[in-house]
Amino acid sequence: MILEKPLLPYFEWLLQFDKTRWGALPHFLLTLLVIAIATLLLSLLVGTVLYGPLKAGDKVYRVVVNGFRELFSLSFRRVWALARLAIQESLRGRVLIAVAVFVLLLLFAGWFLKTEREPARLYFSFVLTATSFLGLFVALLLAVFSLPNDFKSKTIYTVLTKPVRAGEVVIGRILGFSLVGTVLLAIMGVCSYLFVVRALDHTHTVVGSVLAKGGDAEGNLPETTSLDKGHRHTIQQDDDGHLFAEFAHDHDHHVGESNGRLVVSSPHETIRARVPRGGTLRFKDRQGVQVARGVSVGKEWGYRSFIEGGTQAAAIWTFDGIDEKTLHDEDDGGEALRLELVVRVFRTWKADINTPVQGVIQLKRPGSDLKTAPEFFSAKDATIDQRYFPRTLTDTNNQPIDLLDDLVDEQGQIEVVVQCLDRSQYFGFAQGDCYVRMKEGSPLWNFTKAYISMWVQMVLVIAIAVTGSTVLSGPIAMMFTVSFILLGFYREFFVRVARGIQEGGGPVESLVRLVTQMNLTAGFRGESETTSLWIMRSVDSVFLGAMELLANVLPDFGEFNATKYVAYGFDIPANQIAQQLTMGAAYVIGLSIVGYFLLRTREVAK
Amino acid sequence: MAATPEIPNSDKNGERRAREPDEAQVVVETRALSKVYRDFWGRQKVRALKSLDLEIHKGEIFGLLGPNGSGKTTTIKLLLGLLFPSEGEAIVLGQNATEVSKNERIGYLPEESYLYRFLNAEETLDFYGRLFNIPADVRRERIDRLIKLVKLDAARRRQLREYSKGMTRRIGLAQALINEPDLILLDEPTSGLDPIGTREMKDWILELRDQGKTIVMCSHLLADVQDVCDRIAILHQGELKELGRVDELLKVEDVTQVKARGLSADCQDEIRQVIERHQGELVSMENPTTTLEELFLSIVRDSEARPGRRIVKQEPTKQGKS
């Protein structure tokens, strides 16, 4: 899967610090600083109102100095003692019921998860979504009620009268619940993986009267396998005379022989972890002139740019870093460059709807006219088309050329040119629609990476819940955390509203529109600056400012959902996991600091 | 249950330190300590404590006495740093009460034992022990000793949710002693205990004092305070009303009490005449009664010695203890 915005390299993501973009670390430090200063000013203000300026200054000074001193007297022994307590609390609180629920869900999942196409996608989406939500839910319930319960039952009195720093209470809780969650996720992960592997495993029997390997007396071979799991395969013979069940339904089978009968093996590569390498896309218009974008065929299709068939219009991808390692070893002993291409077809006339629109794909050396002989293909609309280019190819003049030596230039770049052949029909492409398939990743490791993402998300929820519950009562802390999660899931929309990009205006304006049943895009009557409009806009701008500030500390929960990678069989980039882990750590650190000050400045007793 | 509670000496070196409090060493000091409870909007609700000045010395049992709502518990919470003073300050073991590090040498038994109900006795002590810098083997040995001390050996693996009130108090005390503290704060130590439990608790408190520890306790049960405290402060509506040594406070300077056994009626008459001759006023002359607590305890002791026999009446003078 090619991301719309490619991931930045890890260190650039972390450390970059210039006008165009602030890296994660500077952003984190700035946020901490802003929060610190704002809190300081606010507490001084409140303190001055309550006690007068001198005393308020003294109190704030003491809290800050104390905070720094206690930061350095954190003891892992005490943190671990408190974490153990959290673990014991969870276990005695029957957290294992969650596991039981999950296992039960899996046991019966097979009954209602039936599909004709790409079962891996369905199974993976199901198990990953189920674990993700169940994990979040359990983590939330555990973490959010623990501290408030301690306050309510006053057990916190006996803890805080021991030499325990407030920070240790917060960190110990986060650590303890995270460990419980980790074990929970691990159990659910193993169950899920086994479930998917078992569910995808199947075989067929060979249909027909010819069941021996060599065929019958006339040399006729069996034609198809039986219909199992909603599909059947055609049986083919390869050049070496081996039988195999042809690729269908996302997999193929070997056909072997046992006790004189033909036996279909387990499916191959039902779970994949494709590693795509994306390129940069540019277009040529119908006269063959370079343009930034192709033809637009309307707003609904705006994501992709279109090229017209039967003209010189072309979509050209440039791929970097093509070398021997990029090539795959093929079954026939040779090497090949694997490309995958998604074509969106836009027909301006219907023609024969069953006849696919024809296209042509060529490899080209950048900066030269050397191209491979055109390879024709029929566009399957919106499905991934796999194209293999062997090492030895022929150019447009039918001369043999070598893929690496002749087509790849000194910078290791190669171009892929795609054109549409049918007149007045259009092909649409976005940058991510064509990619080079690198060596396959390990599916198990990929699955594990999806769980790591989920784990980071869970730790985040725990940290937010524990921090919130240092001052809030259980139900309120729960609402707080849930709103944080919800906003986090819809962060993109939230930011769009905050920045005024989203139509419909700020909170007050949308409320007005909602109540008066007004269209999102319609202007207000007259559109002249009446007082009421001015008030509405002013209040909104305050809200929007606050939202923009909040957006700075809001984690993007959607990013932690790696379901789409695993379900569609793509490898999750290690870089992405590293960034998420770093982000998770940053949130835990930041929230622990906030939690420390909240708990330390709170009067524990009533 | 043993009739005469005798606790093993919990101090490892076994040495009994000076029984007399050390006047020179101040363990707890409050200066104009005040507490005002405010509501969410910062409006004053209650003045729970008004400018309290106290000095508590090393090795004494100090009692905070007063009716409900007089500020006893507030004082204890201020000393522990669970509340922040509105005015003034509290110095505990040479540090400000809001410092966390002072807790290394403090033991605290709250009003009701606020403990984790999902832990058993051993786990409870283990958890609290881990919060101190105690080596693991010492911690285990100490847990074992404390469980035996508070007589919970039989229930050590039961979760606290199954404990009776008395057992909870005991494990609460054990938890407060896990770090062998120098200063022990007890909030209503005998509340909810039966007479035997009360007596045991009082004996433990005395025992701890004999080990040289300083004890601050608050209670509204006068008998308890009278029995164990060296000095008391009486609080009422947040104000300090009386402060001093218990024996001095209770001493009635102009009354002399004579107690004798085996006097005939003639002899008693003679004594009356002697008092009259010296212009004294005879306040009372009668056979003394024991306290109810003493009576109850003696009955229990007796029934344990001779099980099965129903005791109808006990000679009141038999077990009399001055």
Side-chain angles (χ1 to χ4, degrees), chain A residues 264-314:
Chain A
V264 180
S265 72
S266 288
H268 295 142
E269 292 196 346
T270 42
I271 310 173
R272 283 172 303 173
R274 290 178 283 194
V275 184
R277 172 169 298 169
T280 49
L281 173 63
R282 61 202 165 83
F283 290 96
K284 277 186 177 170
D285 72 4
R286 48 186 303 154
Q287 278 85 36
V289 181
Q290 287 255 9
V291 283
R293 282 183 67 80
V295 181
S296 167
V297 296
K299 199 172 175 186
E300 299 296 302
W301 299 59
Y303 172 64
R304 290 184 164 84
S305 246
F306 286 76
I307 51 173
E308 193 181 340
T311 67
Q312 293 196 51

Side-chain angles (χ1 to χ4, degrees), chain A residues 50-51 55 59 62 66 69-70 77-78 80-82 84-85 88-90 92 94 150 153-166 173 599-606, chain B residues 35 37-38 41-42 77 80 82-87 96 98-101 103-104 106 108 110 114-116 118-120 123 126-134 159 161 175-176 178:
Chain A
L50 282 179
Y51 313 105
K55 215 173 158 199
K59 280 187 181 212
R62 274 197 211 181
N66 246 320
R69 223 181 38 221
E70 289 186 4
R77 176 174 43 80
R78 289 191 293 261
W80 177 236
L82 288 155
R84 267 173 52 112
L85 181 79
Q88 278 165 327
E89 183 185 340
S90 322
R92 312 254 155 108
R94 318 274 185 268
D150 266 25
S153 65
K154 297 181 179 170
T155 37
I156 197 84
Y157 289 12
T158 48
V159 175
L160 286 183
T161 49
K162 304 284 184 279
V164 172
R165 275 60 177 179
R173 283 281 191 307
L599 191 57
R600 188 71 176 95
T601 48
R602 173 181 182 173
E603 272 193 330
V604 177
K606 283 245 168 64
Chain B
K35 179 66 194 173
Y37 287 111
R38 293 176 187 278
W41 302 106
K77 284 175 181 167
L80 285 163
L82 290 175
L83 290 174
F84 305 142
S86 307
E87 294 284 339
N96 199 304
T98 49
E99 286 292 321
V100 179
S101 49
N103 293 350
E104 295 275 3
I106 286 185
Y108 168 54
Y114 305 127
L115 301 168
Y116 291 101
F118 52 85
L119 297 178
N120 64 34
E123 288 165 340
D126 187 61
F127 164 63
Y128 288 110
R130 279 167 191 268
L131 299 178
F132 292 96
N133 192 9
I134 312 172
Q159 286 191 14
R161 67 174 92 240
Q175 154 293 122
I178 191 77

